[in-house]
Amino acid sequence: MTIEQLKDSLLVRGPEDSSPWNHQKRLLLVNNLGILVNQLYTVGIDEIFIDGYFVANPYTLPDIVRELNKTDPYKVWTWDWSSRIYDRNSAKPQLPLWHRYKVELYPHVGQGCGILDENGNEQMFPATFRKTRDTFLPKGIIKIIK
């Protein structure tokens, strides 16, 4: 999906029945995601998945991060644990990216993610996002396209 298609999708609009749905909050998140996606595009990253990761080359990732922070006015592109700030709403430390945009994107460079599967094995990023974390049921993810 493109960002515009995502904005007009059921994921943002919500169901047509009268169930509670926070359309405005979801639209804000997609708009924020759009900002980050555009920043990633400017540094040559085009494999971006809305469930939280993008594909990068491990050898050029430091340069990519440096360039991303040149494009972002808040300099939020980091995954360093020491940069995390406690968030009382989630009751855990969160990345600057999350504090500013309420969106998390992690680089996938072929590494494990620290999240275990139903058999206790560490998963790679793509596998992690294709299952629910509590029941391990398969789920879809969406790739952002230009």
Side-chain angles (χ1 to χ4, degrees):
M1 291 184 139
T2 65
I3 290 291
E4 290 306 313
Q5 289 170 328
L6 184 58
K7 287 178 186 180
D8 193 40
S9 74
L10 178 66
L11 296 171
V12 174
R13 283 192 335 268
E16 293 191 20
D17 64 10
S18 61
S19 65
W21 195 263
N22 196 335
H23 166 45
Q24 291 303 320
K25 180 180 179 182
R26 287 172 178 263
L27 185 58
L28 173 67
L29 293 174
V30 172
N31 285 334
N32 286 348
L33 176 65
I35 293 168
L36 300 174
V37 164
N38 284 331
Q39 291 176 7
L40 288 166
Y41 286 160
T42 65
V43 298
I45 301 292
D46 60 5
E47 280 192 80
I48 307 162
F49 299 85
I50 70 166
D51 209 358
Y53 76 97
F54 61 92
V55 178
N57 181 321
Y59 300 108
T60 59
L61 186 59
D63 295 330
I64 290 169
V65 170
R66 194 170 22 264
E67 291 303 311
L68 285 168
N69 280 318
K70 285 181 184 177
T71 65
D72 185 79
Y74 305 100
K75 314 289 186 241
V76 296
W77 290 97
T78 180
W79 298 274
D80 185 340
W81 273 95
S82 67
S83 71
R84 291 176 182 252
I85 303 162
Y86 184 79
D87 174 67
R88 62 184 172 90
N89 293 323
S90 62
K92 66 179 185 176
Q94 297 283 7
L95 293 168
L97 191 70
W98 187 89
H99 279 282
R100 175 66 190 132
Y101 295 102
K102 300 297 187 240
V103 173
E104 291 180 309
L105 290 168
Y106 291 88
H108 173 57
V109 293
Q111 81 284 18
C113 67
I115 298 172
L116 305 180
D117 67 12
E118 62 271 32
N119 299 311
N121 301 309
E122 183 178 21
Q123 299 180 85
M124 301 289 267
F125 266 114
T128 301
F129 294 108
R130 289 186 169 95
K131 292 182 181 179
T132 59
R133 288 193 189 175
D134 53 351
T135 62
F136 303 106
L137 293 173
K139 66 174 185 150
I141 62 171
I142 296 172
K143 182 178 182 179
I144 297 296
I145 57 174
K146 290 183 181 182

